[in-house]
Amino acid sequence: MCGIVAAVAQRNVQEILLEGLKRLEYRGYDSAGMTVFNDGVLTRHRALGKVAALTAQLDKAALPGFSGIAHTRWATHGKPSEANAHPHHSSDQVAVVHNGIIENYEAIKESLQRSGYAFSSETDTEVIAHLLSEKLADGLSLFDATQQIVNGLGGAYALGVMCAQEPGVVVGARQGSPLVVGVGINEAFLASDPLALLPVTDRFIYLEEGDLVELREQGAIRIVDRHGNDVERPIHTFEHGDGAASKGDYRHYMLKEIFEQPTVIEAALEGRLSAQSVLIESFGPDALALFQRTRHMHIIACGTSYHAGLVARYWLERYAGVPVQVEVASEYRYRHPVVPEGTLFVTLSQSGETADTLAALRFAKTLNYVGSLAICNVPGSSLVRESDMSLMTRAGPEIGVASTKAFTTQLVALMLLTLSVSKAKNQVEYLDIIAALRTLPEVCQRVLALDSQIEILSQAFAEKHHALFLGRGAHYPIALEGALKLKEISYIHAEAYPAGELKHGPLALVDSEMPVISVAPNDDLLEKLKSNLQEVRARGGKLFVFADESVGIDVQEDIRVLTLPHVHEALAPLLYTLPLQLLSYHVAVLKGTDVDQPRNLAKSVTVE
Ligand code: HGA
């Protein structure tokens, strides 16, 4: 999604802003731009495409200055183009960068056009620049002008604004899109994500919904809340080292993140299991009482996180006896859900800023849930702050747009939730699962060692246009996730089905051109799955099976089998995710796609 970086410093900010934009590239974007207060005027550069294109412009015409705002855009209103790239200016007096959507921009635009303002872009954002210009002409300060106009903006925004009349001032605002303040020594910054600012500070203020912030020279920071009261917000020190945000020796972030999984799974478990038991308090001091009152669960998420929720449904129903409903946030928030008494509301989001999931949480708060739990990778994110309880997944920064380690650590967190609810409600401890969890990082390591074999397997996919993924039980969501990864990064059309559904339709697609990928752990559905695979073979389909070492599926001309080490049945969904991630990765590399920033996609989806 769009990225904002802004700075008011005692040094030239051009490099700080450019470096910040590069660090936000992982979010996905189509154009980039920057405005700096330079020699008494607001000077702007914008470029379609990558930050490198903007850098090339700036190499020819540097933009030195002590204050500036910068942006990477992921178009929602108006095609990707230089004219639509941010910052948007009004008469070169005002500059605006915006993340989000102004839902009522059409009405505002008509009214501004009637007042004589000419528009030079197709974006919703440009209205903000002209609205500010109007207010500044009435004699208001930039801060007061911003405070007045945000009241009339519908939808969601994070803003960074500057004006020519007030050099050395940047104003920010947040409503529905993330924005953090970076606290430096005699300098101050704004960004959509702390990662953007790690070279200049590790101290951050997470703005609350409705907050307005003013950055001035000498690092002065003023924050006013939605009611117009001056407030002090706590300063947090960033937890993860900056090394996490670099590729190291890996060719892509995605590969690095796949290989980090044993380490981050270990981190996700640390301090949350005692010798014999799961520690319910990991979810917070009120968790025991809340879990005891929990009779149902609604799990709400988007994309890959939604697939983690689907796995958790199998776990929670089987091991904790709690009925679970799982739904994508963009559907849930617009229906009229019936909430049975004693229902816990659970959200899953890597960033904690996913717009639909956050909106679903806010909607759920108006209903009669017993409480809310966020499972999230970013401490201090909106979802975490606004939920009653939270559990951090501890995956560290995930830069690749296609989620990998965030997914598997979500699964670990959801298994801890399953074990905790089982203990709280039924006084049952699954000692075998707890023991298996401890060995999981080492078993994952052994699966990752199969990388070169998976790379060879991937050659069979590079020329394909379609693929079918099959799984049963808790592995059906793993098949869904495998198909999503292949779509996301290799642009091959892939679908996933519960293997038992094959004969109800998709079997019609199977021929020698259709690779069929199946996960076959040694569980009580294995024999059923084997029959489904025979149905594929009988139609000339080519099978690729990831199977437990003990299941005895033989390699034949039309079946290629990769055996995985045995793992406790409950944890198999976690393990079988890994080869599917590696398969998609290698197919994408063979196809030469942009693995870390696949076309049209964005990380941290902060618009609806
Ligand atoms: N609506 C604005 C900003 C889009 C955005 O926030 N994307 O993540 C535009 O289209 O320019």
Side-chain angles (χ1 to χ4, degrees), residues 11 23 180-185 187-189 193-206 234-243 379:
R11 50 186 157 151
R23 288 168 161 260
V180 298
V181 180
V183 183
I185 298 168
E187 45 193 25
F189 312 91
D193 181 328
L195 279 184
L197 299 174
L198 287 183
V200 285
T201 185
D202 63 353
R203 298 192 310 141
F204 295 96
I205 297 170
Y206 295 91
I235 298 178
H236 300 269
T237 303
F238 192 76
E239 280 185 10
H240 310 291
D242 196 15

Side-chain angles (χ1 to χ4, degrees), residues 1-3 27-28 30 71-79 84-86 88 98-102 121-126 156 158 177 602-607:
M1 292 281 109
C2 293
R27 295 161 73 92
D30 49 61
H71 191 259
T72 46
R73 172 175 189 246
W74 186 81
T76 66
H77 291 62
K79 60 186 175 299
N84 287 335
H86 302 210
H88 288 287
H98 163 224
N99 181 6
I101 290 173
I102 305 304
S121 80
E122 302 156 317
T123 63
D124 49 339
T125 303
E126 194 179 344
S177 296
K603 189 108 185 142
S604 189
V605 184
T606 51
V607 294

Side-chain angles (χ1 to χ4, degrees), residues 362-385:
R362 289 174 185 157
F363 171 50
K365 284 182 159 180
T366 66
L367 306 173
N368 59 324
Y369 287 96
V370 283
S372 55
L373 163 67
I375 292 182
C376 184
N377 192 32
V378 180
S381 59
S382 303
L383 211 58
V384 169
R385 290 202 311 268

Side-chain angles (χ1 to χ4, degrees), residues 254-268:
M254 183 181 179
L255 190 61
K256 173 180 177 238
E257 288 158 6
I258 290 173
F259 275 87
E260 276 172 359
Q261 289 175 108
T263 313
V264 293
I265 287 173
E266 200 164 338

